[in-house]
Amino acid sequence: MKRIALFLLTNVAVVAVLGIVASLLGVNRYFTANGLNFGALLGFAFVMGFGGAIISLLISKPMAKWTSGVHVINQPRNADEAWIVQTVQNFAQKAGIGMPEVGIYEGEPNAFATGAFKNSALVAVSTGLLEGMTREEVEAVIGHEVAHIANGDMVTMTLIQGVMNTFVVFLSRVIGYAVDSFLRKNDENSSGPGIGYYVTTIVLDIVLGFAAAIVVAWFSRQREFRADAGAAQLMGRKQPMMNALARLGGMHAGELPKSVAAMGITGGIGKLFSTHPPIEERIAALQNSQ
């Protein structure tokens, strides 16, 4: 709940800062004089930035189960499932979090953690991961996912995404209004936003959205290094995590649904937009860690 409160307070702070800066620069007076309700725009940016991100966070676990076809292990059906549940339980106790739900899904090598709250999260591993790795390597991957939960990464990433969304919504509309006002400065009969506003807003929503995605992806990559280190700490040594990463580097990692891709053990290949650093960089970071 602390991180949810932080999420809300940060978004409120972002909107407040935008309002203060605009007031100090006199921007709000200019736009208000020309028909833009600056306060309403700030409120709209807050709702859009906060609302979409928090809803995505709250539905992340059921959506992950549905989109990935996760079989939640309520009662282990065999020794392998019993071992997975026990491994997650051991790590959860060491990390000081509540026991997550544990699941398996059909697919190529990957794993993910998701959920809005630390004490009611989900850890899921793929059949490809279980079949292609040693138990020690699977244990390291599970430790990585539990570290994500213990670090509060799901809420942190939602917080960053919400802040980026707020800036995108606010800036695209302010700039769109300014462009529209310039294009129609000699039109005394015009009222309401014109085509310049709508075109500029749509274009900037796309352009600034890409820029925001780059920022979010950068934060995600930094978080992966922390989860790798967290797995090494939970296991008491870093070699198993390094071995697991090296093994993943030689596999074709399975694609995860967009809603949980950032919480997987591996990510995409686009450098600026990748949620995960290159495998070799992650191994090097572990090797150089204390």
Side-chain angles (χ1 to χ4, degrees):
M1 289 303 297
K2 287 182 180 179
R3 284 181 175 263
I4 296 293
L6 175 63
F7 176 83
L8 178 59
L9 288 173
T10 302
N11 277 269
V12 170
V14 168
V15 172
V17 169
L18 288 173
I20 292 170
V21 171
S23 179
L24 291 174
L25 296 177
V27 175
N28 59 336
R29 291 190 296 275
Y30 167 77
F31 285 113
T32 300
N34 285 275
L36 176 66
N37 189 327
F38 206 78
L41 177 57
L42 285 172
F44 177 73
F46 170 76
V47 171
M48 293 298 290
F50 171 77
I54 194 65
I55 289 171
S56 296
L57 176 65
L58 293 175
I59 67 172
S60 60
K61 190 164 72 167
M63 282 297 293
K65 291 178 183 178
W66 177 62
T67 54
S68 298
V70 174
H71 163 69
V72 176
I73 306 173
N74 295 312
Q75 186 66 40
R77 298 171 296 186
N78 52 52
D80 286 338
E81 290 191 358
W83 174 80
I84 295 168
V85 171
Q86 187 61 54
T87 299
V88 173
Q89 186 174 42
N90 292 341
F91 284 150
Q93 288 173 349
K94 285 184 180 180
I97 61 172
M99 176 64 181
E101 287 188 277
V102 183
I104 298 175
Y105 64 97
E106 295 287 336
E108 295 179 328
N110 218 323
F112 66 85
T114 191
F117 306 101
K118 281 187 180 182
N119 295 322
S120 60
L122 167 71
V123 173
V125 296
S126 72
T127 53
L129 192 81
L130 298 173
E131 293 165 1
M133 285 190 168
T134 66
R135 276 204 169 185
E136 187 179 64
E137 290 164 352
V138 173
E139 189 178 0
V141 171
I142 292 173
H144 174 97
E145 300 306 333
V146 171
H148 271 314
I149 299 169
N151 293 339
D153 285 339
M154 286 76 78
V155 173
T156 300
M157 290 306 297
T158 304
L159 169 63
I160 295 166
Q161 185 66 66
V163 171
M164 291 296 102
N165 289 348
T166 299
F167 274 107
V168 169
V169 171
F170 179 79
L171 291 176
S172 65
R173 280 149 186 79
V174 167
I175 295 171
Y177 194 86
V179 170
D180 192 59
S181 296
F182 174 77
L183 293 176
R184 301 196 301 169
K185 60 183 178 181
N186 295 322
D187 186 359
E188 297 180 356
N189 297 320
S190 64
S191 62
I195 188 66
Y197 170 83
Y198 292 109
V199 171
T200 303
T201 298
I202 291 171
V203 171
L204 287 179
D205 275 343
I206 296 170
V207 173
L208 294 176
F210 274 109
I214 292 173
V215 174
V216 172
W218 182 86
F219 276 100
S220 178
R221 292 194 295 274
Q222 307 316 304
R223 182 213 54 194
E224 285 304 309
F225 291 120
R226 289 181 59 207
D228 289 341
Q233 185 175 5
L234 288 171
M235 294 193 72
R237 52 200 184 97
K238 55 191 177 182
Q239 193 60 49
M241 189 69 237
M242 291 165 60
N243 293 342
L245 289 170
R247 179 89 65 177
L248 284 167
M251 293 177 168
H252 175 67
E255 291 296 319
L256 291 172
K258 185 178 179 181
S259 59
V260 295
M263 296 300 159
I265 185 67
T266 61
I269 59 174
K271 200 146 192 183
L272 283 176
F273 296 96
S274 178
T275 57
H276 292 63
I279 292 290
E280 58 271 17
E281 289 185 17
R282 295 169 65 180
I283 294 174
L286 279 172
Q287 285 175 329
N288 297 327
S289 65
Q290 298 298 322

